[in-house]
């Protein structure tokens, strides 16, 4: 399992617009990509940051998605608002509530 965390520092007043673009991209493009598992969009209450926390089956799936011209075209409006800092992590453990 690979986790990709993309952190966007958002210009004032643009957080909702960026979230809407990222949400549409997740629904219309990402969730149909091979190897996609889940994505969470996180927003700071002060409106300054958006984080996309996505899980993929592995690095090859992320590379394939990023090489897809449709993905790049779809992300262009979001990247025009804010370019993300992207980091990839392997999952070392997951914890769930006790029953």
């Amino acid at each position: 399992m690979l986790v990709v965390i993309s952190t966007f520092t958002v210009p004032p007043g643009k957080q909702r617009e960026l979230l809407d673009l990222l949400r549409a991209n997740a629904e219309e493009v990402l969730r149909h990509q091979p190897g996609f598992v889940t994505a969470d969009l996180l927003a700071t209450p002060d409106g300054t940051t958006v984080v996309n926390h996505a899980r993929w089956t592995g690095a090859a799936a992320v590379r394939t998605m990023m090489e897809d011209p449709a993905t790049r075209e779809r992300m262009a409006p979001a990247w025009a608002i804010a370019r993300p800092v992207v980091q990839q992590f392997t999952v070392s453990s997951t914890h769930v509530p006790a029953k």
Side-chain angles (χ1 to χ4, degrees):
M1 184 72 62
L2 185 74
V3 174
V4 179
I5 298 177
S6 303
T7 304
F8 298 82
T9 301
V10 185
K14 293 289 192 173
Q15 188 183 59
R16 174 58 43 205
E17 182 181 356
L18 180 59
L19 284 166
D20 289 344
L21 288 166
L22 294 173
R23 186 177 300 110
N25 184 56
E27 283 296 314
E28 297 168 15
V29 178
L30 292 183
R31 69 188 198 106
H32 302 284
Q33 296 287 324
F36 176 78
V37 179
T38 64
D40 297 303
L41 294 174
L42 312 171
T44 56
D46 66 4
T48 62
T49 308
V50 169
V51 174
N52 182 354
H53 174 273
R55 285 184 177 229
W56 293 83
T57 55
V62 173
R63 273 192 306 277
T64 299
M65 176 271 299
M66 289 305 297
E67 291 170 356
D68 181 354
T71 300
R72 288 196 308 272
E73 181 180 328
R74 182 61 188 223
M75 286 303 298
W79 291 340
I81 294 171
R83 292 295 296 205
V85 174
V86 180
Q87 295 178 289
Q88 295 184 4
F89 301 86
T90 56
V91 177
S92 62
S93 66
T94 299
H95 306 272
V96 298
K99 293 185 180 191

